[in-house]
């Protein structure tokens, strides 16, 4: 049997999201529970995939089915496409499985042409409305289907308003709008070289294709990559009969959330605009009224709406984000979905829903987006400095968080400045989907126009970026890259601070203070800990980072990089001496200087971790990273070592490597200079003994990790040095302290021979940064140059350094776990690459049965939550 590509709203339901997209599934669900929804049908995501398979064509089979469903729709609504008595007008709306705000485009009032508009005008006795619909349709269709820039049409509207001496769209008369429609069509013909299509069916096919095509636009591709949405999903298309909010002052259109998306407060939140259609509310053409005002002005429609909100929340058991239209006092529901929210409100809503008995703890844990926690963990403004900093202005608190950066005026600049390491605040009149990448690069976003549901506000909340919107007090001078606010001129590059929780704008840079986990955040994390199996450790090189991670709930350290400490000014001379030594004696002398420094670093870290396990990795990078490049430093080193400058230079030159990341580094250093392994073992063991003596209540079991092993014999060689050194020290101290010796699995050969390596290792820690690099054969530092081309060509959809490549690298991980455990059932397994804090990678780690993930301190709570979600998901399947 051939596939079914179209579903009436009455045929679908909320569980059919994969096939019908989020919007379509929910329109069907709302229809099923008896809510007032203008009827229509959904063209499936499979039709979209088929469109791409057919070389971007809608094949005859699908085309015929769409026509059949238009006829069904005509029967249901009693209206007909292009009819002179009762014409059917529809909207054509995209809707993917996951909501992709502002990414796809919608066409309203499709079905209109010169004849139909006259019919509508006469029959309704409302020519203004009829022509308003028509000019909107031409505008949207031209923009979306034919990609004739919106700008031209907006310029024509502005010109018309100026000629008529009016400021608002609603002040334009039927005649004005009719003239606009004529101008629009002329513009269309000039740009496209064809007449504007008059046949509704032709219009419909053009629109459906445009929606399918928009799945592959660059903005959509960027959004998908950021949000882990696979390209293969495709989008559905909804064809729905129109409800009109632009028929007069007893009509209007609105958007609302059942709870406050910024704070989580259980109170209806939204905006309503009279005599308006579609996106007028979010586009900021006129200032909408707060939803509370709607209660006074449209009591009947508002009462209906309140009932609908209650029904929807009870039904979906989550906060809803809805779009609706009032046509002559009657309410129509156009969309509902689980509303996007700030991280703080997500936590509050989850806790409130549990307390209201709507959901259980597991559901609460599952409904929080782990990556969104990030913003809550980042610093907030230092309250003391805040009090003393002049407030330059204030506007809407659109998306919380503290931001401090230099002013830039374009998304491109934001991207470019951020790329060279500057912190920037993006200041715009308003933002549009083209600005996404710039918004991402900015610490915060400030807009002159737009409300709480404007593009900037919605997108910033989604990204967890601080945003202050609608600051109409700003006089913008985009051309000269400056603006004035509160009597002061701010120029590009000036510092500005934004508080997205209060909406305040500060002149200057305000330092920030660290965040902590308390209240609802703590409650949700508590639930997460209850349901997860994976342990969560941190990667920390200093006592400060270790303490931070502890506060965020880290259960140990999975990776301490010893070399980071060597870069300190007071240590680098000693490490340089060690590198430039000619004899073992010289080297040992230099190492002897380093040993106490390392020991005290390790003691600090052990203390900060309060007895939790700590894995310390031996020196890893190629030695040339430490050698001096400045003439003065070279001279000093020569003097310190009693060598000539040219001798030192010869040594430095000899350290040059063609491919240092695949050169003399990791355990290869210990194989050539065993003294290094001896010194590091001594520092680690002596520090542990000292801390154990100070804290008898802790059980210190230091974990020594040998990096870059590819062959069991090299591990055995270094391990022997470690064991001899450690055992002697422990014996000498009269202690019975235990310790572990393990290795990183970061070379494919190690993964492949894991059954041999495991015979010499107490633990494996997957170093997925290097493992990814060596498996793909390209480096993290160079991949940026060509990965974009790979994304464009759909060869890779994600950066494998950010999201674990489960197919390739993951297969090595899985294999190494199985091989390792087959010979050493007690083998302890973890991951310490960047992936340890990426939610989908954490889920993978859970599945392959690792014991822990280790990630940077700020990602610890994210990993705790992701680990719980993985366990909960597994239990459900
Ligand atoms: P988006 O995903 O960008 O929100 P939508 O498909 O939801 O796009 O539609 C854009 C706007 O048009 C929304 O404000 C929506 O409520 C409105 N709209 C869509 N379909 C209809 C319709 N059949 N009648 C009236 N308004 C509609
Ligand atoms: Mg939109
Ligand atoms: Mg919508």
């Amino acid at each position: 049997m051939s596939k079914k590509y179209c579903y009436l709203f009455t045929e679908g339901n909320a569980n059919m999201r994969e096939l019908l997209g989020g919007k379509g599934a929910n329109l069907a669900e709302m229809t099923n529970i008896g809510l007032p929804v203008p009827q229509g049908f959904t063209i499936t995501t499979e039709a979209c995939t088929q469109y791409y398979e057919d070389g971007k064509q809608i094949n005859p089979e699908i085309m015929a089915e769409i026509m059949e469903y238009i006829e069904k729709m005509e029967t249901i609504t009693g209206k007909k496409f292009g009819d002179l008595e009762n014409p059917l007008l529809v909207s054509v709306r995209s809707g993917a499985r996951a909501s992709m705000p502002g990414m796809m485009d919608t066409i309203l009032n499709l079905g209109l042409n010169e004849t139909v508009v006259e019919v509508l005008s006469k029959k309704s006795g409302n020519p203004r409305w009829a022509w308003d619909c028509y000019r909107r349709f031409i505008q949207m269709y031209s923009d979306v289907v034919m990609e004739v820039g919106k700008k031209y049409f907006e310029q024509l509207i502005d010109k018309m308003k100026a000629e008529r001496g009016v400021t608002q769209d609603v002040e334009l008369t039927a005649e004005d709008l009719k003239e606009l429609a004529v101008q629009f069509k002329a513009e269309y013909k000039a740009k496209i070289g064809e007449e504007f299509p008059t046949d509704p069916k032709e219009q419909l096919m053009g629109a459906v294709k445009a929606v399918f095509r928009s799945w592959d636009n660059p903005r959509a591709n960027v959004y998908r990559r950021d949000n882990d949405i696979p390209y293969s999903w495709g989008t559905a298309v909804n064809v729905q009969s129109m409800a009109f909010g632009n028929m007069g002052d007893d009509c209007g259109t609105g958007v609302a959330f059942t709870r406050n998306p910024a704070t989580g407060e259980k109170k209806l939140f939204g905006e309503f605009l009279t005599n308006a259609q579609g996106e007028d509310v979010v586009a900021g053409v006129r200032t909408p009224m707060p939803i509370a005002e709607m209660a006074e002005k449209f009591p009947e429609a508002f009462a209906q709406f309140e009932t609908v909100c209650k029904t929807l929340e009870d039904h979906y058991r989550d906060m809803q984000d809805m779009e609706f239209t009032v046509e002559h006092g009657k309410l129509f529901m156009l969309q509902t979905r689980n509303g996007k929210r700030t991280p703080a409100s997500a936590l509050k809503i989850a806790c409130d829903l549990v307390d209201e008995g709507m959901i259980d703890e597991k559901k609460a844990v599952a409904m929080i987006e782990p990556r969104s926690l990030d913003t809550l963990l980042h610093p907030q403004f230092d309250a003391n400095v805040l009090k003393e900093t002049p407030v330059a202005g204030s506007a809407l608190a659109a998306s919380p968080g503290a931001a401090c950066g230099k002013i830039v005026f374009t998304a491109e600049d934001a991207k470019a400045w951020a790329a060279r390491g500057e912190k920037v605040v993006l200041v715009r009149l308003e933002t549009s989907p083209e600005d996404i990448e710039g918004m991402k690069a900015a610490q915060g976003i400030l807009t002159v126009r737009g409300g709480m549901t404007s593009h900037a506000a919605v997108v910033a909340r989604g990204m967890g970026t601080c945003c202050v919107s609608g600051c109409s007090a700003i006089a913008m001078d985009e051309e000269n890259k400056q603006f004035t606010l509160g009597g002061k001129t701010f120029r590009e590059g000036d510092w500005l601070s934004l508080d997205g929780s209060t909406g305040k704008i500060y002149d200057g840079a305000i330092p920030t203070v660290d965040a902590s986990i308390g209240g609802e955040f703590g409650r949700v994390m508590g639930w997460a800990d209850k349901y997860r199996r994976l342990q969560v450790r941190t990667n920390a090189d200093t006592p400060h980072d270790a303490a931070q991670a502890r506060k965020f709930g880290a259960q140990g350290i999975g990776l301490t990089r010893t070399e980071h400490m060597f870069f300190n000014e007071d240590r680098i001379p000693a490490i340089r001496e060690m590198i430039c030594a000619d004899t073992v004696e010289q080297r040992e002398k230099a190492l002897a200087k380093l040993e106490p420094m390392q020991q005290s670093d390790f003691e600090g870290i052990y203390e900060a971790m309060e007895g939790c396990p700590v894995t310390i990795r031996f020196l890893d990078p190629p030695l040339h990273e430490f050698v001096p490049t400045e003439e003065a430093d070279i001279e000093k080193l020569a003097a310190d070592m009693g060598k000539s400058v040219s001798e030192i230079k010869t040594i430095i030159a000899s350290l040059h490597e063609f491919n240092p990341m695949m050169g003399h580094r990791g355990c290869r250093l210990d194989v050539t200079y065993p003294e290094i392994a001896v010194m590091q073992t001594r520092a680690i063991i002596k520090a542990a003994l000292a801390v154990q003596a100070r804290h008898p209540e802790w059980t210190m079991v230091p974990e020594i990790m040998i990096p870059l092993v590819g062959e069991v014999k090299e591990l055995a060689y270094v391990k022997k040095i470690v064991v001899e050194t450690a055992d002697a020290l422990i014996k000498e101290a009269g202690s019975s302290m235990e310790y572990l010796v393990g290795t990183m699995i970061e070379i494919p050969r190690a993964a492949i021979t894991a059954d041999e390596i495991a015979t010499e290792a107490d633990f494996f820690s997957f170093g997925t940064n290097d493992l990814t690099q060596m498996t793909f054969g390209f480096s993290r530092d160079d991949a940026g140059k060509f990965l974009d081309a790979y994304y464009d060509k759909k060869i890779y959809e994600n950066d494998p350094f950010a999201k674990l490549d489960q197919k390739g690298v993951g297969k090595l991980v899985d294999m190494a776990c199985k091989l390792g455990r087959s010979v050493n059932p007690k083998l302890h397994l973890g991951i310490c690459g960047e992936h340890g804090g990426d939610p989908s990678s954490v889920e993978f780690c859970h599945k392959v049965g690792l014991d822990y993930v280790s990630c940077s301190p700020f990602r610890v709570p994210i990993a705790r939550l992701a680990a719980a979600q993985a366990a909960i998901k597994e239990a459900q399947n």
Side-chain angles (χ1 to χ4, degrees), residues 107-125:
I107 297 167
L108 303 179
N109 311 322
L110 187 142
L112 280 172
N113 57 36
E114 208 68 50
T115 343
V116 173
V117 73
E118 292 291 359
V119 172
L120 281 190
S121 165
K122 283 211 194 70
K123 288 201 63 153
S124 66

Side-chain angles (χ1 to χ4, degrees), residues 66 73 80 235 239 243 250 273 300 332 367 577 587 589 615 665 680 683 701 740 759 780 861:
I66 295 175
M73 228 180 125
K80 256 180 132 60
T235 181
V239 180
D250 61 344
L273 193 60
E300 267 169 52
F332 289 97
M367 76 195 280
E577 268 183 64
R587 196 172 300 109
K589 201 175 125 222
T615 304
R665 53 173 290 221
Q680 294 207 292
V701 183
L740 305 177
T759 58
R780 181 166 50 160

Side-chain angles (χ1 to χ4, degrees), residues 456-704:
V458 172
V459 173
R461 280 199 295 270
M463 298 191 307
T465 301
C466 157
C467 175
V468 174
S469 73
C471 184
S472 49
I474 288 181
M476 184 69 132
D477 177 3
E478 277 186 312
E479 210 158 291
N480 295 307
K481 297 198 167 175
Q482 61 182 39
F483 66 84
T484 52
L485 175 63
K488 182 176 163 170
T489 302
F490 292 83
R491 296 191 174 78
E492 184 179 55
D494 288 351
W495 284 94
L496 196 70
S497 299
L498 301 177
D499 189 334
S501 314
T502 62
K504 290 214 165 73
I505 304 157
Y506 299 90
D507 179 3
I510 305 177
T512 49
V513 289
D514 289 350
S516 67
I517 299 182
E520 279 131 0
F521 194 172
R523 224 176 139 199
V524 172
M525 291 317 294
W527 295 332
D529 291 346
K530 207 152 110 187
Y531 298 110
R532 72 186 156 94
R533 178 186 60 70
L534 269 178
Q535 301 246 326
V536 177
R537 293 194 186 186
T538 191
N539 298 348
D541 305 337
T542 63
H544 174 268
D545 286 358
Q548 179 72 267
R550 225 19 225 142
K551 274 207 305 207
F552 290 156
Q555 295 164 290
I557 288 184
L559 173 65
T560 291
R561 305 172 188 85
T562 48
E563 59 273 11
H564 282 194
M565 306 159 177
F566 288 157
F567 285 103
N568 281 2
E569 223 174 306
D570 55 333
R571 299 173 185 197
I572 195 93
I575 180 99
R576 284 173 179 167
E577 268 183 64
M578 190 272 284
I579 293 167
C580 295
D582 302 318
T583 61
V584 175
E585 290 71 38
Q586 264 181 17
R587 196 172 300 109
E588 282 177 341
K589 201 175 125 222
L591 286 166
K593 290 187 197 166
L594 288 170
E595 189 187 305
M597 298 174 186
Q598 290 236 297
Q599 183 181 332
S600 80
D601 290 337
F602 299 150
E603 284 184 35
I605 290 173
Y606 288 144
E607 294 274 0
M609 289 315 286
E610 302 166 317
C612 295
V614 173
T615 304
I616 295 174
R617 177 181 72 181
F618 277 0
L619 189 62
D620 185 52
L623 296 180
H624 78 93
E625 286 190 11
F626 300 100
V627 299
T629 50
E630 303 283 320
E631 197 63 32
D633 292 338
I634 296 176
E635 281 166 19
K636 183 173 178 299
L637 182 61
D640 286 353
M641 296 189 70
K643 286 188 159 47
S644 74
V645 167
S646 78
E647 274 174 313
I648 295 289
K649 285 189 173 165
T650 309
I651 297 175
I652 293 174
S654 76
L655 289 171
H656 171 80
E657 289 180 306
F658 287 101
N659 196 346
M661 292 318 282
M662 302 190 62
H664 193 187
R665 53 173 290 221
C667 64
R668 296 158 202 161
L669 295 171
D670 303 305
V671 172
T672 34
Y673 307 125
E675 323 60 271
I676 299 179
V678 172
M679 181 280 279
Q680 294 207 292
T681 306
R682 288 178 59 85
I684 293 169
I685 297 296
K686 282 166 73 181
L689 287 168
V691 171
Q692 180 70 81
R694 287 201 287 276
H695 295 278
E697 74 280 15
W698 298 344
T699 309
M700 299 296 298
V701 183
E703 301 178 2
I704 295 174

Side-chain angles (χ1 to χ4, degrees), residues 416-438:
W417 290 42
R420 55 173 202 250
E422 303 253 28
K423 292 189 164 185
V424 298
V425 166
L426 178 62
V427 185
R428 305 276 294 147
L429 278 174
E430 62 210 341
T431 65
S432 68
E434 289 84 44
D435 295 333
I436 296 267
E437 290 198 77

Side-chain angles (χ1 to χ4, degrees), residues 52-64:
Y52 281 103
E53 262 169 41
D54 293 339
K56 301 197 185 179
Q57 293 297 327
I58 299 183
N59 70 36
E61 185 199 347
I62 298 180
M63 188 113 69

Side-chain angles (χ1 to χ4, degrees), residues 23 91 93 106 108 240-243 278-279 323 325 334-335:
K23 200 177 283 170
S91 63
R93 320 171 62 188
T106 294
L108 303 179
Q240 184 177 28
S241 66
M242 289 298 303
E279 306 217 294
E323 292 174 5
T325 281
L334 296 170
Q335 190 172 334

